[in-house]
């Protein structure tokens, strides 16, 4: 066994969008598991937009990553050494390993994986992103057959889950994605009824016109994980008593872009006038729903009824470039890094 392992730490707080200098790849002595712990050789790592928020020293729903600490994140790997009941060498497990080649974690914080599906699915379609889509749509979107759903970032692991679940429930589904290729994926792979390229529309007004054509009966549910121009475009199209589950705002991570005009008062008025239900939620509050999610969705993934895509980068040294590209929409599907 190697006497060292590699990890990526936070070198400094980013100013705006992250750059490579904000991170450091370093080698450290291999950790040794204490009583109740397990040493894992990581095979796959997840990259998710929430990680950008953890880089800032601000009060939030979870602690910030400290300078010099390993970047946070979920991983999958095999057990090398176990001092925890219920885990044996070779077991395939998942947990919050961080951006590292190896991790030493308490057995109580790990979950064994079903080896019938690719291990990487535990990080995407059957992991936190998939659960986010399932919980958010069912609990806060409250879909009804015949309604219209608009989903931002529709080809990502969350948006694609939301769209497929809504379509199966009898809704008209409209995808918003970046570029012709992703729009084609939205309709051809994930079954959306229509797809709109937000990059083809310079202003929120122009984007709104395109959405209105794709949603002639208005919007009953808007899945919000982007913010920015897309939110500004959709809000005036919401039907009375519409629902907006809010799980992210990637357009505003690292600072608000735009011309400096404060449009929030006008946008917020729509919430009042149309009596909208805008519900922010953090998936970490809903882990108790995970078994029910797996019971319902795992068979559908195994049978191909729910499609998924993964964008796989290779090697720990590609974590940072893949992360920076993901925040700019450079990935297609769930961003995974294989070690």
């Amino acid at each position: 066994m190697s006497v060292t392992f590699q990890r990526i730490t936070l070198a400094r707080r980013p100013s705006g969008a992250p750059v490579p200098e904000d991170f450091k790849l370093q080698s450290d002595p291999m950790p040794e598991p204490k009583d109740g712990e397990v040493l894992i050789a990581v095979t796959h790592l997840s990259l998710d937009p929430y990680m950008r928020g953890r880089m800032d020293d601000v009060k939030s729903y979870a602690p910030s990553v400290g300078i010099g600490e390993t970047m946070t994140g979920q991983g999958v790997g095999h057990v090398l050494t176990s001092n925890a009941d219920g885990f044996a060498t070779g077991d395939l497990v998942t947990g919050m390993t961080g951006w590292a080649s190896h991790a030493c974690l308490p057995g109580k914080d790990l979950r064994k994986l079903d080896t019938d599906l690719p291990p990487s699915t535990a990080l995407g379609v059957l992991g936190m992103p998939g659960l986010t889509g399932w919980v958010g749509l069912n609990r806060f979107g409250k879909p009804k057959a015949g309604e219209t759903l608009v989903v931002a970032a529709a080809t990502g692991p969350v948006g694609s889950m939301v769209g497929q679940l809504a379509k199966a429930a009898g809704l008209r589904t409209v995808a918003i994605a970046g570029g012709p290729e992703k729009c084609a994926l939205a309709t051809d792979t994930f079954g959306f009824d229509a797809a709109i390229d937000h990059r083809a529309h310079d202003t929120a007004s122009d984007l709104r016109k395109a959405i209105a054509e794709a949603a002639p009966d208005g919007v009953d549910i808007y899945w919000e994980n982007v913010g920015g121009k897309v939110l500004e475009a959709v809000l005036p199209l919401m039907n009375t008593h519409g629902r907006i589950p809010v799980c992210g705002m990637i357009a505003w991570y690292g600072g608000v872009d735009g011309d400096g005009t404060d449009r929030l008062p006008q946008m917020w008025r729509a919430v009042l006038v149309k009596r909208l239900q805008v519900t922010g939620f953090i998936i970490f509050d809903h882990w108790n729903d995970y078994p029910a999610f797996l019971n319902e969705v795992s068979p559908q993934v195994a049978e191909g009824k729910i499609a998924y895509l993964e964008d796989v980068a290779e090697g720990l040294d590609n974590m940072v470039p893949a992360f920076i590209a993901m925040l700019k929409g450079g990935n297609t599907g769930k961003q995974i890094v294989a070690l």
Side-chain angles (χ1 to χ4, degrees), residues 5 21 33 56 71-72 144 147 152-153 166 169 176 193 196-197 207 214 217 252 256 281 286 289 295 324:
F5 79 109
E21 291 75 19
D56 293 331
M71 283 292 297
T72 188
K144 302 178 185 67
E147 292 186 326
I176 299 178
D193 294 301
I196 299 167
D197 179 6
L207 179 58
D217 296 326
W252 291 328
V256 178
F281 73 101
H286 302 279
D289 293 322
N295 287 337
I324 292 173

PDB file of all heavy atoms in Angstrom, residues 5 21 33 56 71-72 144 147 152-153 166 169 176 193 196-197 207 214 217 252 256 281 286 289 295 324:
ATOM      1  N   PHE A   5      -1.007   9.763   0.131  1.00  0.00           N
ATOM      2  CA  PHE A   5      -2.180   9.926  -0.718  1.00  0.00           C
ATOM      3  C   PHE A   5      -2.217  11.377  -1.181  1.00  0.00           C
ATOM      4  O   PHE A   5      -1.530  12.240  -0.636  1.00  0.00           O
ATOM      5  CB  PHE A   5      -3.462   9.532   0.018  1.00  0.00           C
ATOM      6  CG  PHE A   5      -3.980  10.573   0.972  1.00  0.00           C
ATOM      7  CD1 PHE A   5      -5.141  11.281   0.695  1.00  0.00           C
ATOM      8  CD2 PHE A   5      -3.318  10.846   2.173  1.00  0.00           C
ATOM      9  CE1 PHE A   5      -5.628  12.234   1.576  1.00  0.00           C
ATOM     10  CE2 PHE A   5      -3.809  11.788   3.066  1.00  0.00           C
ATOM     11  CZ  PHE A   5      -4.972  12.477   2.760  1.00  0.00           C
ATOM     12  N   GLU A  21      -5.447  28.920  -9.211  1.00  0.00           N
ATOM     13  CA  GLU A  21      -4.612  29.338  -8.081  1.00  0.00           C
ATOM     14  C   GLU A  21      -5.347  29.268  -6.742  1.00  0.00           C
ATOM     15  O   GLU A  21      -4.722  29.384  -5.678  1.00  0.00           O
ATOM     16  CB  GLU A  21      -4.103  30.758  -8.319  1.00  0.00           C
ATOM     17  CG  GLU A  21      -3.083  30.886  -9.439  1.00  0.00           C
ATOM     18  CD  GLU A  21      -3.701  30.800 -10.827  1.00  0.00           C
ATOM     19  OE1 GLU A  21      -4.948  30.994 -10.949  1.00  0.00           O
ATOM     20  OE2 GLU A  21      -2.963  30.537 -11.802  1.00  0.00           O
ATOM     21  N   PRO A  33      -7.039   4.126   9.785  1.00  0.00           N
ATOM     22  CA  PRO A  33      -8.376   4.117  10.391  1.00  0.00           C
ATOM     23  C   PRO A  33      -8.330   3.791  11.883  1.00  0.00           C
ATOM     24  O   PRO A  33      -7.647   2.868  12.311  1.00  0.00           O
ATOM     25  CB  PRO A  33      -9.107   3.022   9.618  1.00  0.00           C
ATOM     26  CG  PRO A  33      -8.028   2.125   9.097  1.00  0.00           C
ATOM     27  CD  PRO A  33      -6.847   3.019   8.830  1.00  0.00           C
ATOM     28  N   ASP A  56     -16.457  30.095   0.076  1.00  0.00           N
ATOM     29  CA  ASP A  56     -16.555  31.439   0.651  1.00  0.00           C
ATOM     30  C   ASP A  56     -16.665  31.358   2.166  1.00  0.00           C
ATOM     31  O   ASP A  56     -17.281  30.439   2.714  1.00  0.00           O
ATOM     32  CB  ASP A  56     -17.780  32.165   0.095  1.00  0.00           C
ATOM     33  CG  ASP A  56     -17.646  32.474  -1.378  1.00  0.00           C
ATOM     34  OD1 ASP A  56     -16.511  32.652  -1.849  1.00  0.00           O
ATOM     35  OD2 ASP A  56     -18.690  32.533  -2.065  1.00  0.00           O
ATOM     36  N   MET A  71     -11.013  20.045  -0.117  1.00  0.00           N
ATOM     37  CA  MET A  71     -12.287  20.446  -0.711  1.00  0.00           C
ATOM     38  C   MET A  71     -13.335  19.372  -0.445  1.00  0.00           C
ATOM     39  O   MET A  71     -13.071  18.182  -0.562  1.00  0.00           O
ATOM     40  CB  MET A  71     -12.121  20.660  -2.214  1.00  0.00           C
ATOM     41  CG  MET A  71     -11.442  21.966  -2.585  1.00  0.00           C
ATOM     42  SD  MET A  71     -12.476  23.418  -2.204  1.00  0.00           S
ATOM     43  CE  MET A  71     -13.889  23.144  -3.278  1.00  0.00           C
ATOM     44  N   THR A  72     -14.527  19.815  -0.092  1.00  0.00           N
ATOM     45  CA  THR A  72     -15.589  18.886   0.278  1.00  0.00           C
ATOM     46  C   THR A  72     -16.204  18.237  -0.951  1.00  0.00           C
ATOM     47  O   THR A  72     -16.202  18.809  -2.044  1.00  0.00           O
ATOM     48  CB  THR A  72     -16.678  19.621   1.084  1.00  0.00           C
ATOM     49  OG1 THR A  72     -17.607  18.670   1.597  1.00  0.00           O
ATOM     50  CG2 THR A  72     -17.423  20.618   0.207  1.00  0.00           C
ATOM     51  N   LYS A 144     -49.197  18.154 -11.205  1.00  0.00           N
ATOM     52  CA  LYS A 144     -50.506  17.616 -11.552  1.00  0.00           C
ATOM     53  C   LYS A 144     -50.546  17.414 -13.067  1.00  0.00           C
ATOM     54  O   LYS A 144     -50.068  18.264 -13.824  1.00  0.00           O
ATOM     55  CB  LYS A 144     -51.623  18.568 -11.134  1.00  0.00           C
ATOM     56  CG  LYS A 144     -51.649  18.915  -9.653  1.00  0.00           C
ATOM     57  CD  LYS A 144     -52.765  19.909  -9.348  1.00  0.00           C
ATOM     58  CE  LYS A 144     -52.744  20.361  -7.898  1.00  0.00           C
ATOM     59  NZ  LYS A 144     -51.535  21.186  -7.587  1.00  0.00           N
ATOM     60  N   GLU A 147     -50.398  20.044 -16.315  1.00  0.00           N
ATOM     61  CA  GLU A 147     -49.705  21.299 -16.035  1.00  0.00           C
ATOM     62  C   GLU A 147     -48.443  21.418 -16.900  1.00  0.00           C
ATOM     63  O   GLU A 147     -48.050  20.490 -17.608  1.00  0.00           O
ATOM     64  CB  GLU A 147     -49.331  21.379 -14.552  1.00  0.00           C
ATOM     65  CG  GLU A 147     -50.523  21.511 -13.631  1.00  0.00           C
ATOM     66  CD  GLU A 147     -50.120  21.745 -12.188  1.00  0.00           C
ATOM     67  OE1 GLU A 147     -49.072  21.203 -11.753  1.00  0.00           O
ATOM     68  OE2 GLU A 147     -50.858  22.461 -11.481  1.00  0.00           O
ATOM     69  N   ALA A 152     -34.743  24.819 -15.576  1.00  0.00           N
ATOM     70  CA  ALA A 152     -33.452  25.401 -15.952  1.00  0.00           C
ATOM     71  C   ALA A 152     -32.361  24.345 -15.809  1.00  0.00           C
ATOM     72  O   ALA A 152     -32.515  23.381 -15.062  1.00  0.00           O
ATOM     73  CB  ALA A 152     -33.152  26.604 -15.070  1.00  0.00           C
ATOM     74  N   ALA A 153     -31.247  24.537 -16.532  1.00  0.00           N
ATOM     75  CA  ALA A 153     -30.142  23.566 -16.509  1.00  0.00           C
ATOM     76  C   ALA A 153     -30.692  22.160 -16.700  1.00  0.00           C
ATOM     77  O   ALA A 153     -30.393  21.236 -15.940  1.00  0.00           O
ATOM     78  CB  ALA A 153     -29.347  23.688 -15.216  1.00  0.00           C
ATOM     79  N   ALA A 166     -41.541  14.537 -14.199  1.00  0.00           N
ATOM     80  CA  ALA A 166     -42.709  15.338 -14.536  1.00  0.00           C
ATOM     81  C   ALA A 166     -43.392  14.811 -15.793  1.00  0.00           C
ATOM     82  O   ALA A 166     -44.628  14.755 -15.865  1.00  0.00           O
ATOM     83  CB  ALA A 166     -42.311  16.798 -14.714  1.00  0.00           C
ATOM     84  N   ALA A 169     -45.451  11.953 -15.078  1.00  0.00           N
ATOM     85  CA  ALA A 169     -46.643  12.319 -14.318  1.00  0.00           C
ATOM     86  C   ALA A 169     -47.686  13.035 -15.173  1.00  0.00           C
ATOM     87  O   ALA A 169     -48.721  13.457 -14.656  1.00  0.00           O
ATOM     88  CB  ALA A 169     -46.249  13.210 -13.132  1.00  0.00           C
ATOM     89  N   ILE A 176     -34.732  24.351 -20.489  1.00  0.00           N
ATOM     90  CA  ILE A 176     -33.865  25.476 -20.824  1.00  0.00           C
ATOM     91  C   ILE A 176     -32.434  24.995 -20.640  1.00  0.00           C
ATOM     92  O   ILE A 176     -32.058  24.503 -19.560  1.00  0.00           O
ATOM     93  CB  ILE A 176     -34.153  26.694 -19.941  1.00  0.00           C
ATOM     94  CG1 ILE A 176     -35.601  27.153 -20.151  1.00  0.00           C
ATOM     95  CG2 ILE A 176     -33.184  27.831 -20.262  1.00  0.00           C
ATOM     96  CD1 ILE A 176     -36.011  28.321 -19.303  1.00  0.00           C
ATOM     97  N   ASP A 193     -40.664  17.964 -23.927  1.00  0.00           N
ATOM     98  CA  ASP A 193     -41.521  18.313 -25.054  1.00  0.00           C
ATOM     99  C   ASP A 193     -40.926  19.427 -25.903  1.00  0.00           C
ATOM    100  O   ASP A 193     -41.165  19.496 -27.116  1.00  0.00           O
ATOM    101  CB  ASP A 193     -42.899  18.747 -24.549  1.00  0.00           C
ATOM    102  CG  ASP A 193     -43.659  17.603 -23.896  1.00  0.00           C
ATOM    103  OD1 ASP A 193     -43.902  16.590 -24.586  1.00  0.00           O
ATOM    104  OD2 ASP A 193     -43.984  17.708 -22.704  1.00  0.00           O
ATOM    105  N   ILE A 196     -35.233  25.079 -25.113  1.00  0.00           N
ATOM    106  CA  ILE A 196     -34.874  26.442 -25.509  1.00  0.00           C
ATOM    107  C   ILE A 196     -33.432  26.703 -25.143  1.00  0.00           C
ATOM    108  O   ILE A 196     -33.007  26.453 -23.999  1.00  0.00           O
ATOM    109  CB  ILE A 196     -35.794  27.457 -24.808  1.00  0.00           C
ATOM    110  CG1 ILE A 196     -37.257  27.206 -25.227  1.00  0.00           C
ATOM    111  CG2 ILE A 196     -35.386  28.889 -25.133  1.00  0.00           C
ATOM    112  CD1 ILE A 196     -38.252  27.925 -24.367  1.00  0.00           C
ATOM    113  N   ASP A 197     -32.682  27.223 -26.083  1.00  0.00           N
ATOM    114  CA  ASP A 197     -31.277  27.558 -25.887  1.00  0.00           C
ATOM    115  C   ASP A 197     -31.183  28.975 -25.314  1.00  0.00           C
ATOM    116  O   ASP A 197     -31.395  29.952 -26.033  1.00  0.00           O
ATOM    117  CB  ASP A 197     -30.533  27.460 -27.224  1.00  0.00           C
ATOM    118  CG  ASP A 197     -29.055  27.822 -27.116  1.00  0.00           C
ATOM    119  OD1 ASP A 197     -28.570  28.050 -25.980  1.00  0.00           O
ATOM    120  OD2 ASP A 197     -28.392  27.864 -28.166  1.00  0.00           O
ATOM    121  N   LEU A 207     -35.742  35.849 -24.277  1.00  0.00           N
ATOM    122  CA  LEU A 207     -35.873  34.485 -23.773  1.00  0.00           C
ATOM    123  C   LEU A 207     -37.305  34.215 -23.333  1.00  0.00           C
ATOM    124  O   LEU A 207     -37.852  33.127 -23.557  1.00  0.00           O
ATOM    125  CB  LEU A 207     -34.904  34.269 -22.613  1.00  0.00           C
ATOM    126  CG  LEU A 207     -34.911  32.883 -21.939  1.00  0.00           C
ATOM    127  CD1 LEU A 207     -34.611  31.788 -22.952  1.00  0.00           C
ATOM    128  CD2 LEU A 207     -33.911  32.845 -20.781  1.00  0.00           C
ATOM    129  N   ALA A 214     -43.234  28.067 -26.149  1.00  0.00           N
ATOM    130  CA  ALA A 214     -43.149  26.650 -25.776  1.00  0.00           C
ATOM    131  C   ALA A 214     -44.128  26.290 -24.671  1.00  0.00           C
ATOM    132  O   ALA A 214     -44.446  25.111 -24.476  1.00  0.00           O
ATOM    133  CB  ALA A 214     -41.725  26.318 -25.335  1.00  0.00           C
ATOM    134  N   ASP A 217     -49.809  27.768 -22.367  1.00  0.00           N
ATOM    135  CA  ASP A 217     -50.770  27.827 -21.268  1.00  0.00           C
ATOM    136  C   ASP A 217     -50.157  28.381 -19.988  1.00  0.00           C
ATOM    137  O   ASP A 217     -50.738  28.251 -18.903  1.00  0.00           O
ATOM    138  CB  ASP A 217     -51.342  26.428 -21.001  1.00  0.00           C
ATOM    139  CG  ASP A 217     -52.146  25.894 -22.177  1.00  0.00           C
ATOM    140  OD1 ASP A 217     -52.787  26.707 -22.861  1.00  0.00           O
ATOM    141  OD2 ASP A 217     -52.107  24.672 -22.410  1.00  0.00           O
ATOM    142  N   TRP A 252     -25.468  33.135 -10.218  1.00  0.00           N
ATOM    143  CA  TRP A 252     -25.040  34.161  -9.276  1.00  0.00           C
ATOM    144  C   TRP A 252     -23.922  33.690  -8.352  1.00  0.00           C
ATOM    145  O   TRP A 252     -23.501  34.437  -7.477  1.00  0.00           O
ATOM    146  CB  TRP A 252     -26.236  34.645  -8.448  1.00  0.00           C
ATOM    147  CG  TRP A 252     -27.224  35.430  -9.244  1.00  0.00           C
ATOM    148  CD1 TRP A 252     -26.975  36.232 -10.310  1.00  0.00           C
ATOM    149  CD2 TRP A 252     -28.634  35.501  -9.028  1.00  0.00           C
ATOM    150  NE1 TRP A 252     -28.128  36.797 -10.777  1.00  0.00           N
ATOM    151  CE2 TRP A 252     -29.173  36.368 -10.008  1.00  0.00           C
ATOM    152  CE3 TRP A 252     -29.502  34.914  -8.103  1.00  0.00           C
ATOM    153  CZ2 TRP A 252     -30.536  36.657 -10.093  1.00  0.00           C
ATOM    154  CZ3 TRP A 252     -30.862  35.197  -8.187  1.00  0.00           C
ATOM    155  CH2 TRP A 252     -31.367  36.068  -9.163  1.00  0.00           C
ATOM    156  N   VAL A 256     -22.905  38.666  -8.764  1.00  0.00           N
ATOM    157  CA  VAL A 256     -24.025  38.910  -9.667  1.00  0.00           C
ATOM    158  C   VAL A 256     -23.522  39.639 -10.897  1.00  0.00           C
ATOM    159  O   VAL A 256     -22.913  40.701 -10.805  1.00  0.00           O
ATOM    160  CB  VAL A 256     -25.119  39.743  -8.966  1.00  0.00           C
ATOM    161  CG1 VAL A 256     -26.258  40.026  -9.934  1.00  0.00           C
ATOM    162  CG2 VAL A 256     -25.622  39.006  -7.732  1.00  0.00           C
ATOM    163  N   PHE A 281     -35.063  24.979  -0.658  1.00  0.00           N
ATOM    164  CA  PHE A 281     -34.826  23.767   0.125  1.00  0.00           C
ATOM    165  C   PHE A 281     -33.389  23.293  -0.061  1.00  0.00           C
ATOM    166  O   PHE A 281     -32.780  23.485  -1.111  1.00  0.00           O
ATOM    167  CB  PHE A 281     -35.822  22.659  -0.238  1.00  0.00           C
ATOM    168  CG  PHE A 281     -35.587  22.002  -1.583  1.00  0.00           C
ATOM    169  CD1 PHE A 281     -34.962  20.768  -1.664  1.00  0.00           C
ATOM    170  CD2 PHE A 281     -36.000  22.615  -2.757  1.00  0.00           C
ATOM    171  CE1 PHE A 281     -34.754  20.155  -2.897  1.00  0.00           C
ATOM    172  CE2 PHE A 281     -35.799  22.019  -3.990  1.00  0.00           C
ATOM    173  CZ  PHE A 281     -35.170  20.778  -4.057  1.00  0.00           C
ATOM    174  N   HIS A 286     -33.345  16.431   3.893  1.00  0.00           N
ATOM    175  CA  HIS A 286     -34.309  15.426   3.438  1.00  0.00           C
ATOM    176  C   HIS A 286     -33.678  14.050   3.216  1.00  0.00           C
ATOM    177  O   HIS A 286     -34.208  13.240   2.445  1.00  0.00           O
ATOM    178  CB  HIS A 286     -34.975  15.910   2.142  1.00  0.00           C
ATOM    179  CG  HIS A 286     -35.666  17.225   2.280  1.00  0.00           C
ATOM    180  ND1 HIS A 286     -36.927  17.359   2.822  1.00  0.00           N
ATOM    181  CD2 HIS A 286     -35.255  18.491   1.980  1.00  0.00           C
ATOM    182  CE1 HIS A 286     -37.273  18.635   2.827  1.00  0.00           C
ATOM    183  NE2 HIS A 286     -36.281  19.341   2.326  1.00  0.00           N
ATOM    184  N   ASP A 289     -35.619  10.759   3.254  1.00  0.00           N
ATOM    185  CA  ASP A 289     -36.372  10.315   2.082  1.00  0.00           C
ATOM    186  C   ASP A 289     -35.549   9.438   1.145  1.00  0.00           C
ATOM    187  O   ASP A 289     -36.089   8.907   0.161  1.00  0.00           O
ATOM    188  CB  ASP A 289     -36.878  11.534   1.292  1.00  0.00           C
ATOM    189  CG  ASP A 289     -37.921  12.327   2.049  1.00  0.00           C
ATOM    190  OD1 ASP A 289     -38.751  11.700   2.725  1.00  0.00           O
ATOM    191  OD2 ASP A 289     -37.904  13.572   1.967  1.00  0.00           O
ATOM    192  N   ASN A 295     -35.876   3.112  -3.607  1.00  0.00           N
ATOM    193  CA  ASN A 295     -36.835   2.051  -3.899  1.00  0.00           C
ATOM    194  C   ASN A 295     -37.651   2.358  -5.150  1.00  0.00           C
ATOM    195  O   ASN A 295     -37.962   1.455  -5.938  1.00  0.00           O
ATOM    196  CB  ASN A 295     -37.782   1.852  -2.703  1.00  0.00           C
ATOM    197  CG  ASN A 295     -37.108   1.166  -1.536  1.00  0.00           C
ATOM    198  OD1 ASN A 295     -36.110   0.471  -1.703  1.00  0.00           O
ATOM    199  ND2 ASN A 295     -37.648   1.364  -0.342  1.00  0.00           N
ATOM    200  N   ILE A 324     -14.094  24.148 -12.695  1.00  0.00           N
ATOM    201  CA  ILE A 324     -14.218  25.495 -13.256  1.00  0.00           C
ATOM    202  C   ILE A 324     -15.088  25.475 -14.511  1.00  0.00           C
ATOM    203  O   ILE A 324     -15.944  26.344 -14.704  1.00  0.00           O
ATOM    204  CB  ILE A 324     -12.815  26.069 -13.553  1.00  0.00           C
ATOM    205  CG1 ILE A 324     -12.064  26.318 -12.229  1.00  0.00           C
ATOM    206  CG2 ILE A 324     -12.902  27.339 -14.388  1.00  0.00           C
ATOM    207  CD1 ILE A 324     -10.616  26.715 -12.404  1.00  0.00           C
TER     208      ILE A 324
END
